[in-house]
Amino acid sequence: MKKQRILMCPPDYFGVDYEINPWMKGQIGLVNKGLARQQWDRLYEQLAEQLDIHCLAPQENMPDLVFTANGGLSLGTKVLLSRFRMQERQVEEKIFQETFCQLNYEVIDYGSACSFEGEGDALFQANERLLWTGYGVRSGLEVQKSILQDLEVDVVPLRLIDPRFYHLDTCFAPLEGGEVIYFPNAFDSYSINEIERRIPPKKRILVSEEDACQFSCNLFNVNRLIFTNAMSLTLQKDLEARGYQIKLCPVSEFMKAGGGVKCLTMKLEQESIVRAPQKESLSSPIRSETLKFSGHLLDSGQLADSLNFIELNGLSFNLSNFTPALRQDQKSHAELKLCSPDSTRLENTRKALIDRGWECTEDREEAMFFPAPKDGVAPEGFYTTSIYPTQVYINSKNLHLQNRRMDGVIVFNPAQQSITCKIIRDLDQGDLVLIGEKGLQVESPQQSDDAEAFSFMSSSVSSERRAEGQIKEIAQEIRKIKTAGGKIAVVAGPVVVHTGAANYLEKMIRADFIDVLLSGNALAVHDIEYQLFETSLGVDLQRGSPVAGGHQHHLRAINRVRLAGSIEAAVHQGLIKAGIMHACVQHGVNYVLAGSIRDDGPLPDTIMDLLVAQERYSEAIKDCQMILMLSSMLHSIGVGNMTPSGVQLICVDINPAVVSKLCDRGSLEARGIVTDVGLFLQFLSSELNI
Ligand code: ARG
């Protein structure tokens, strides 16, 4: 098998000659050069068994040139050349550039305006076109947007917050098996969230501070071998259990300069990236924008306050055209270029800065629209909507998206200067559809920086134990909504009838707590079957056992309603005398029954055209403040997709997986209760005193 190629540099001139990271403090002149040589040679020998090593010529007065990881980042035929943040290392740029040219790479240089320290701050996830990048200490955020375009990879920026772990490779390493090993305290909570969003729990390997400080994460992984400076036994065992073999290669002398095994190598080929590029699906989360200020910036403490706020939120900035007021009666002027790892944080920061007196400038990115190529087809690259408040910046104006829902597209109407949300099948040819995320602002719920608050938020699914307390709160909420004249919808599955809980739902309807009932054919069929034959799907609900000939009951019930013409007619004719559907008809509850392929009958009221049913559902939930989803997975998910944020969703199901799925809207307003729906309704109606 062909060996993977890497770049190293012998330590002829290695030493600690200056201090540019915390590890170097107090180490100037203290490197044991003989030992450094031995350690490097030993590492070289071990790596050479597995890899094809290209060495670059060591240079006098470049003590850190041994850390080739910082020279650049290669993918395919391209290398992104590093631009060092620290002046001490900028002399190395020329050497790396020459080396890459000699090796016939196409060298991409982003220039000195923004620093980028190569593989030190850019690591590929194995077998994926995903690049983790570090920013905040050495590399800037600005260039990372260009990386995505130039290398055609997804870029996930991670913010480093501990000066000891100043490069991403000092505290984070993706492994060949898809695992990621990292020291969580080195990152801000947004970044941890990004890691957790992409890597399943089983594949996350968290290391202790002790391991982090011996640079265990600064490892070189080839096939199943892991080369690193040192590692605790616990961590070694964990990795061995996952099929890795650990090779300890002490590099204590290099640690004095703040570098470990990984820092001493740079991959000249990224063997593990196998997937074909998918350019269309790549869209950078990184956003930038310029704001300007004119007023009291210095004496009011405004500048420090604004910059602090920007940093706290994980954005980077560039201050330009700064003319400070030199007299009390003068104004300061300044421009501030912000760069944010995502649009939400840019949006929140912009708002906070505008509150502090900053103004938007013309260079704000405008949204881009392409015409729909055909009726019912969106142009390639279309943006899909979320449930959250959304604004789009067009012709220097912010337009609000009115009819929000999930999985729609945004259409611009130039005549009215307005934007609406449409589903793809409703598009007309030529409709102007928003492409990508330029000019887009989405107000997703603010993430808290507080880990505890965060874990509380994410555990909105509760089990039996807490159900009682939650139902009390829900009952209070229902009363509040109804007293204020609000609307409540119920999405219910037939289980409500099978569990014998139909009468509780009926009571809630009769007490005018429910305004809308969304369901399928079955709930109505079994409710009516029970009224006519006292069985639900042939089962005597009192005794809990099937009755003779009971299996035909539901068909007979359907047939009678078909004869009457509709459920409403059957109620008026006195055929149906009680039950959920009877209560709906009597109390003017808007019920919509959406059919499915397995429906018997169906009832004349069941809408078998699914597109019409979806429209009727979405019409029915307009202006509802709360939706109770009772044991009906598909109807509930359907409703969840068409509901904008701001509506309380209560999902009740005995199956925790269903509840999690329903609550997984990334929003705080979905509450899940894992319990029997019969018990839930019984308890809820008693809380509502009915
Ligand atoms: N002294 C070097 C610096 O501070 C060490 C670089 C370590 N390299 C790395 N990839 N983490 O820049």
Side-chain angles (χ1 to χ4, degrees):
M1 204 171 72
K2 196 175 150 263
K3 287 183 179 172
Q4 190 184 347
R5 215 139 80 107
I6 64 165
L7 181 69
M8 291 182 74
C9 170
D12 302 27
Y13 301 104
F14 169 66
V16 177
D17 299 359
Y18 44 73
E19 294 177 355
I20 57 168
N21 68 47
W23 306 89
M24 296 171 107
K25 291 253 145 66
Q27 297 289 352
I28 292 185
L30 295 186
V31 168
N32 175 338
K33 306 230 168 171
L35 182 57
R37 178 93 237 177
Q38 266 178 32
Q39 291 178 336
W40 190 90
D41 286 346
R42 177 87 191 104
L43 176 67
Y44 180 94
E45 277 162 29
Q46 295 223 52
L47 291 177
E49 285 173 23
Q50 312 295 329
L51 302 152
D52 172 11
I53 305 178
H54 179 87
C55 276
L56 65 80
Q59 306 285 324
E60 223 177 323
N61 299 324
M62 297 191 199
D64 277 338
L65 193 64
V66 285
F67 300 117
T68 51
N70 299 124
L73 173 73
S74 86
L75 182 64
T77 53
K78 297 177 184 172
V79 168
L80 307 183
L81 183 68
S82 287
R83 290 296 199 147
F84 287 90
R85 168 153 174 234
M86 302 301 188
Q87 208 196 337
E88 289 84 345
R89 292 198 66 183
Q90 286 167 2
V91 284
E92 297 173 35
E93 290 164 5
K94 207 173 132 263
I95 307 295
F96 284 116
Q97 183 180 27
E98 284 165 8
T99 310
F100 300 139
C101 285
Q102 278 160 18
L103 291 168
N104 285 326
Y105 278 104
E106 176 192 339
V107 179
I108 300 176
D109 179 4
Y110 294 127
S112 53
C114 182
S115 54
F116 171 64
E117 302 205 348
E119 267 184 22
D121 272 327
L123 298 163
F124 285 104
Q125 177 68 14
N127 304 315
E128 277 182 54
R129 290 193 82 87
L130 187 161
L131 183 70
W132 304 98
T133 57
Y135 76 98
V137 189
R138 291 294 184 85
S139 297
L141 197 50
E142 289 82 355
V143 280
Q144 305 191 356
K145 211 166 159 184
S146 319
I147 298 183
L148 174 130
Q149 264 130 31
D150 288 327
L151 297 187
E152 293 170 31
V153 291
D154 257 323
V155 173
V156 182
L158 301 176
R159 181 174 171 226
L160 299 167
I161 54 167
D162 182 331
R164 292 174 301 171
F165 304 104
Y166 56 96
H167 278 142
L168 182 65
D169 68 359
T170 59
C171 51
F172 183 95
L175 303 181
E176 306 232 327
E179 298 89 347
V180 165
I181 167 166
Y182 60 105
F183 175 51
N185 292 355
F187 300 92
D188 72 1
S189 63
Y190 291 99
S191 308
I192 293 295
N193 200 27
E194 284 298 313
I195 300 172
E196 293 180 353
R197 229 155 54 91
R198 289 178 169 78
I199 306 294
K202 275 197 190 133
K203 300 259 173 189
R204 298 177 210 146
I205 307 172
L206 275 55
V207 309
S208 64
E209 178 151 14
E210 199 189 322
D211 267 325
C213 287
Q214 49 184 355
F215 271 29
S216 302
C217 299
N218 194 261
L219 55 86
F220 194 97
N221 172 212
V222 53
N223 304 322
R224 288 274 141 180
L225 298 178
I226 289 178
F227 299 88
T228 190
N229 171 56
M231 194 179 266
S232 66
L233 274 178
T234 333
L235 183 54
Q236 284 190 44
K237 287 225 175 80
D238 181 355
L239 289 167
E240 278 161 11
R242 294 167 189 265
Y244 293 97
Q245 195 185 333
I246 314 299
K247 300 257 186 198
L248 297 184
C249 305
V251 286
S252 58
E253 294 316 293
F254 298 91
M255 293 275 296
K256 293 178 180 167
V261 167
K262 172 69 195 75
C263 303
L264 294 166
T265 64
M266 177 196 159
K267 293 187 177 167
L268 290 173
E269 285 141 12
Q270 302 282 350
E271 289 282 2
S272 51
I273 298 189
V274 291
R275 285 214 208 140
Q278 288 187 312
K279 206 167 186 172
E280 320 78 62
S281 65
L282 296 172
S283 99
S284 170
I286 300 169
R287 292 272 170 287
S288 42
E289 182 173 334
T290 307
L291 299 173
K292 61 178 191 240
F293 191 96
S294 167
H296 294 289
L297 203 51
L298 297 176
D299 36 6
S300 59
Q302 183 57 260
L303 187 60
D305 180 43
S306 299
L307 299 186
N308 250 334
F309 186 85
I310 295 170
E311 282 219 55
L312 262 176
N313 280 279
L315 278 73
S316 63
F317 63 82
N318 208 328
L319 202 57
S320 60
N321 296 335
F322 185 30
T323 41
L326 299 177
R327 284 193 341 229
Q328 210 173 7
D329 58 347
Q330 284 177 337
K331 286 180 173 177
S332 298
H333 303 277
E335 275 183 17
L336 188 61
K337 182 164 186 210
L338 299 177
C339 189
S340 167
D342 56 56
S343 57
T344 309
R345 273 186 277 173
L346 180 63
E347 171 64 2
N348 294 337
T349 309
R350 178 198 303 118
K351 271 197 202 138
L353 291 180
I354 288 173
D355 287 347
R356 287 167 167 82
W358 291 85
E359 291 164 34
C360 295
T361 58
E362 279 70 59
D363 89 325
R364 233 179 110 186
E365 281 183 334
E366 291 250 352
M368 205 165 59
F369 294 89
F370 283 176
K374 245 174 142 179
D375 283 356
V377 180
E380 198 58 41
F382 59 87
Y383 168 79
T384 56
T385 56
S386 72
I387 55 174
Y388 302 113
T390 302
Q391 292 181 46
V392 176
Y393 192 66
I394 314 165
N395 300 335
S396 309
K397 268 201 235 72
N398 253 335
L399 302 181
H400 289 262
L401 184 63
Q402 295 304 345
N403 47 345
R404 270 178 288 131
R405 57 159 291 148
M406 195 141 57
D407 299 338
V409 295
I410 296 180
V411 174
F412 176 48
N413 181 333
Q416 295 179 349
Q417 290 289 306
S418 64
I419 48 170
T420 45
C421 185
K422 274 193 171 185
I423 31 186
I424 292 179
R425 64 169 182 257
D426 291 340
L427 283 173
D428 294 316
Q429 181 177 2
D431 271 353
L432 294 173
V433 177
L434 178 69
I435 301 295
E437 296 189 6
K438 273 201 192 138
L440 181 86
Q441 298 161 32
V442 180
E443 258 175 66
S444 37
Q446 267 262 5
Q447 223 179 59
S448 160
D449 215 34
D450 176 343
E452 234 174 281
F454 191 72
S455 71
F456 167 74
M457 278 153 47
S458 55
S459 68
S460 57
V461 177
S462 78
S463 56
E464 301 278 357
R465 245 179 334 116
R466 287 187 45 220
E468 287 197 9
Q470 283 208 305
I471 298 172
K472 276 202 174 86
E473 282 170 33
I474 293 167
Q476 273 168 13
E477 201 54 45
I478 291 180
R479 284 185 188 289
K480 218 162 83 195
I481 292 173
K482 294 313 296 179
T483 322
K487 277 173 70 181
I488 295 176
V490 166
V491 186
V495 183
V496 169
V497 181
H498 301 324
T499 52
N503 66 320
Y504 301 116
L505 183 56
E506 180 184 344
K507 279 196 216 162
M508 283 176 67
I509 295 170
R510 294 198 192 280
D512 291 324
F513 284 116
I514 309 297
D515 302 275
V516 173
L517 175 69
L518 305 175
S519 191
N521 191 55
L523 174 93
V525 170
H526 298 304
D527 172 60
I528 296 168
E529 175 192 336
Y530 184 64
Q531 297 311 318
L532 303 185
F533 302 102
E534 290 183 6
T535 57
S536 170
L537 211 59
V539 171
D540 180 324
L541 288 184
Q542 258 70 48
R543 287 188 290 120
S545 54
V547 301
H551 65 282
Q552 308 161 353
H553 287 174
H554 73 285
L555 286 178
R556 297 190 186 285
I558 291 170
N559 196 47
R560 287 190 199 169
V561 179
R562 289 180 74 88
L563 180 67
S566 67
I567 296 175
E568 193 175 342
V571 169
H572 292 321
Q573 291 166 21
L575 175 67
I576 306 170
K577 297 193 175 60
I580 298 173
M581 299 319 295
H582 182 268
C584 284
V585 172
Q586 281 203 325
H587 286 259
V589 166
N590 179 12
Y591 58 90
V592 186
L593 308 179
S596 84
I597 195 152
R598 57 173 231 201
D599 285 343
D600 286 328
L603 289 167
D605 306 67
T606 303
I607 306 166
M608 295 309 285
D609 180 336
L610 265 186
L611 301 187
V612 176
Q614 280 192 353
E615 259 158 45
R616 292 275 309 277
Y617 260 44
S618 120
E619 200 49 45
I621 56 164
K622 279 209 178 112
D623 351 296
C624 282
Q625 279 79 38
M626 179 189 273
I627 305 181
L628 287 165
M629 300 174 157
L630 311 175
S631 296
S632 167
M633 182 168 74
L634 290 183
H635 291 95
S636 301
I637 293 174
V639 170
N641 289 348
M642 46 181 93
T643 310
S645 66
V647 179
Q648 295 190 51
L649 301 186
I650 317 286
C651 321
V652 184
D653 205 292
I654 193 76
N655 179 351
V658 172
V659 175
S660 306
K661 200 170 167 76
L662 287 170
C663 289
D664 192 16
R665 295 167 27 112
S667 95
L668 295 181
E669 58 256 339
R671 265 209 264 183
I673 304 183
V674 178
T675 190
D676 175 84
V677 71
L679 291 177
F680 173 83
L681 281 172
Q682 183 179 1
F683 206 85
L684 183 62
S685 46
S686 99
E687 283 300 320
L688 290 169
N689 300 324
I690 46 177

